[in-house]
Protein backbone atom coordinates (compact mmCIF):
# COMPACT_ATOMS: atom_id res chain seq x y z
CA UNK A 1 0.00 0.00 0.00
CA UNK A 2 2.81 2.41 0.87
CA UNK A 3 4.62 1.65 -2.40
CA UNK A 4 1.58 2.53 -4.49
CA UNK A 5 1.11 5.70 -2.42
CA UNK A 6 4.71 6.68 -3.14
CA UNK A 7 4.22 6.07 -6.85
CA UNK A 8 1.14 8.31 -6.99
CA UNK A 9 2.88 11.06 -5.00
CA UNK A 10 5.91 10.96 -7.29
CA UNK A 11 3.68 11.00 -10.36
CA UNK A 12 1.75 14.01 -9.06
CA UNK A 13 4.96 15.86 -8.20
CA UNK A 14 6.39 15.19 -11.67
CA UNK A 15 3.17 16.30 -13.40
CA UNK A 16 2.94 19.41 -11.28
CA UNK A 17 6.55 20.44 -11.93
CA UNK A 18 6.05 20.02 -15.68
CA UNK A 19 2.77 21.92 -15.79
CA UNK A 20 3.34 24.94 -13.59
CA UNK A 21 6.05 27.54 -14.03
CA UNK A 22 5.75 30.69 -12.00
CA UNK A 23 7.12 32.40 -8.94
CA UNK A 24 8.30 29.97 -6.25
CA UNK A 25 5.60 31.07 -3.80
CA UNK A 26 2.83 30.79 -6.40
CA UNK A 27 4.18 27.42 -7.45
CA UNK A 28 4.21 26.21 -3.83
CA UNK A 29 0.65 27.37 -3.28
CA UNK A 30 -0.43 25.39 -6.34
CA UNK A 31 1.52 22.37 -5.07
CA UNK A 32 -0.16 22.57 -1.65
CA UNK A 33 -3.54 22.64 -3.35
CA UNK A 34 -2.67 19.74 -5.66
CA UNK A 35 -1.30 17.69 -2.76
CA UNK A 36 -4.39 18.24 -0.63
CA UNK A 37 -6.66 17.25 -3.51
CA UNK A 38 -4.56 14.13 -4.08
CA UNK A 39 -4.72 13.21 -0.40
CA UNK A 40 -8.47 13.76 -0.39
CA UNK A 41 -8.92 11.39 -3.32
CA UNK A 42 -6.35 8.75 -2.32
CA UNK A 43 -5.66 8.03 1.35
CA UNK A 44 -2.54 6.01 0.43
CA UNK A 45 -0.85 9.22 -0.68
CA UNK A 46 -1.72 10.96 2.57
CA UNK A 47 -0.25 8.01 4.44
CA UNK A 48 3.13 8.56 2.75
CA UNK A 49 3.38 12.08 4.19
CA UNK A 50 1.71 11.27 7.51
CA UNK A 51 4.16 8.45 8.13
CA UNK A 52 7.05 10.69 7.03
CA UNK A 53 6.01 13.24 9.66
CA UNK A 54 6.38 10.41 12.18
CA UNK A 55 9.72 9.31 10.68
CA UNK A 56 8.11 6.04 9.58
CA UNK A 57 8.26 4.85 13.20
CA UNK A 58 5.52 2.28 12.63
CA UNK A 59 7.64 0.41 10.09
CA UNK A 60 10.06 -2.35 11.05
CA UNK A 61 13.55 -0.96 11.67
CA UNK A 62 15.05 -2.54 8.55
CA UNK A 63 12.45 -0.83 6.31
CA UNK A 64 12.41 2.48 8.15
CA UNK A 65 15.71 3.91 6.91
CA UNK A 66 15.14 2.92 3.28
CA UNK A 67 11.65 4.42 3.31
CA UNK A 68 12.86 7.66 4.91
CA UNK A 69 15.60 7.89 2.28
CA UNK A 70 13.06 7.26 -0.49
CA UNK A 71 10.82 10.04 0.83
CA UNK A 72 13.71 12.48 1.13
CA UNK A 73 15.17 11.76 -2.31
CA UNK A 74 11.98 11.49 -4.34
CA UNK A 75 9.54 13.85 -2.65
CA UNK A 76 11.16 16.15 -0.09
CA UNK A 77 14.36 17.28 -1.82
CA UNK A 78 12.58 18.11 -5.11
CA UNK A 79 10.01 20.12 -3.16
CA UNK A 80 12.69 21.93 -1.19
CA UNK A 81 14.57 22.82 -4.38
CA UNK A 82 11.40 24.31 -5.88
CA UNK A 83 10.71 26.22 -2.66
CA UNK A 84 14.22 27.67 -2.80
CA UNK A 85 14.35 27.65 0.98
CA UNK A 86 17.29 26.47 3.04
CA UNK A 87 15.59 26.76 6.40
CA UNK A 88 12.96 24.49 7.94
CA UNK A 89 9.98 26.30 6.42
CA UNK A 90 9.18 23.38 4.05
CA UNK A 91 8.93 21.15 7.14
CA UNK A 92 6.45 23.58 8.68
CA UNK A 93 4.46 23.81 5.46
CA UNK A 94 4.16 20.02 5.28
CA UNK A 95 3.26 19.85 8.98
CA UNK A 96 0.34 22.23 8.41
CA UNK A 97 -0.86 20.19 5.43
CA UNK A 98 -0.54 16.84 7.20
CA UNK A 99 -2.13 18.14 10.40
CA UNK A 100 -5.10 19.78 8.74
CA UNK A 101 -5.74 16.81 6.50
CA UNK A 102 -5.41 14.49 9.48
CA UNK A 103 -8.11 16.41 11.29
CA UNK A 104 -10.33 15.84 8.26
CA UNK A 105 -9.69 12.10 8.20
CA UNK A 106 -10.08 11.58 11.93
CA UNK A 107 -13.19 13.75 12.24
CA UNK A 108 -14.83 12.10 9.25
CA UNK A 109 -15.80 15.44 7.74
CA UNK A 110 -16.96 15.44 4.15
CA UNK A 111 -14.64 17.93 2.45
CA UNK A 112 -11.39 19.73 3.09
CA UNK A 113 -11.27 23.48 2.71
CA UNK A 114 -8.35 23.04 0.31
CA UNK A 115 -7.81 26.71 -0.47
CA UNK A 116 -7.82 27.77 3.18
CA UNK A 117 -5.45 24.99 4.23
CA UNK A 118 -3.11 25.74 1.32
CA UNK A 119 -3.02 29.40 2.42
CA UNK A 120 -2.26 28.37 6.00
CA UNK A 121 0.57 26.17 4.76
CA UNK A 122 1.97 29.05 2.75
CA UNK A 123 2.10 31.17 5.89
CA UNK A 124 4.58 28.63 7.24
CA UNK A 125 6.79 29.28 4.19
CA UNK A 126 6.42 33.05 3.90
CA UNK A 127 6.13 33.63 7.65
CA UNK A 128 3.41 36.18 7.01
CA UNK A 129 0.44 36.42 9.35
Amino acid sequence: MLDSGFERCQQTLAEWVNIYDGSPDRQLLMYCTALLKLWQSDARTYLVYKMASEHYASLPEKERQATKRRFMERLYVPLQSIAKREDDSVDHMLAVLVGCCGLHYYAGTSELDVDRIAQLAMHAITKEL
Side-chain angles (χ1 to χ4, degrees):
M1 184 164 91
L2 195 57
D3 283 339
S4 63
F6 261 107
E7 289 171 18
R8 282 287 292 132
C9 289
Q10 288 171 232
Q11 177 185 13
T12 298
L13 179 63
E15 290 170 359
W16 169 74
V17 168
N18 290 327
I19 291 172
Y20 192 82
D21 184 28
S23 73
D25 286 351
R26 179 77 180 140
Q27 195 170 12
L28 282 172
L29 178 62
M30 299 304 293
Y31 181 70
C32 290
T33 301
L35 196 57
L36 288 165
K37 288 179 180 179
L38 176 65
W39 292 352
Q40 194 171 18
S41 68
D42 187 345
R44 298 170 302 169
T45 59
Y46 171 70
L47 190 60
V48 169
Y49 284 84
K50 171 72 169 134
M51 290 178 74
S53 73
E54 299 165 348
H55 304 281
Y56 296 98
S58 61
L59 294 178
E61 183 65 37
K62 66 180 185 173
E63 294 176 36
R64 191 175 309 149
Q65 291 305 316
T67 306
K68 284 169 74 173
R69 188 171 40 257
R70 182 180 184 186
F71 178 81
M72 292 301 291
E73 290 172 0
R74 298 182 185 179
L75 297 172
Y76 185 85
V77 170
L79 177 59
Q80 194 173 37
S81 69
I82 292 164
K84 298 182 183 351
R85 305 273 199 249
E86 295 184 15
D87 59 7
D88 61 356
S89 58
V90 170
D91 296 339
H92 292 255
M93 180 190 81
L94 290 174
V96 169
L97 295 173
V98 168
C100 289
C101 193
L103 290 172
H104 160 76
Y105 277 120
Y106 301 127
T109 55
S110 59
E111 293 293 322
L112 286 175
D113 186 346
V114 171
D115 294 328
R116 182 173 183 219
I117 296 168
Q119 287 292 332
L120 289 170
M122 286 306 299
H123 290 305
I125 288 283
T126 61
K127 298 177 177 130
E128 295 173 359
L129 296 175

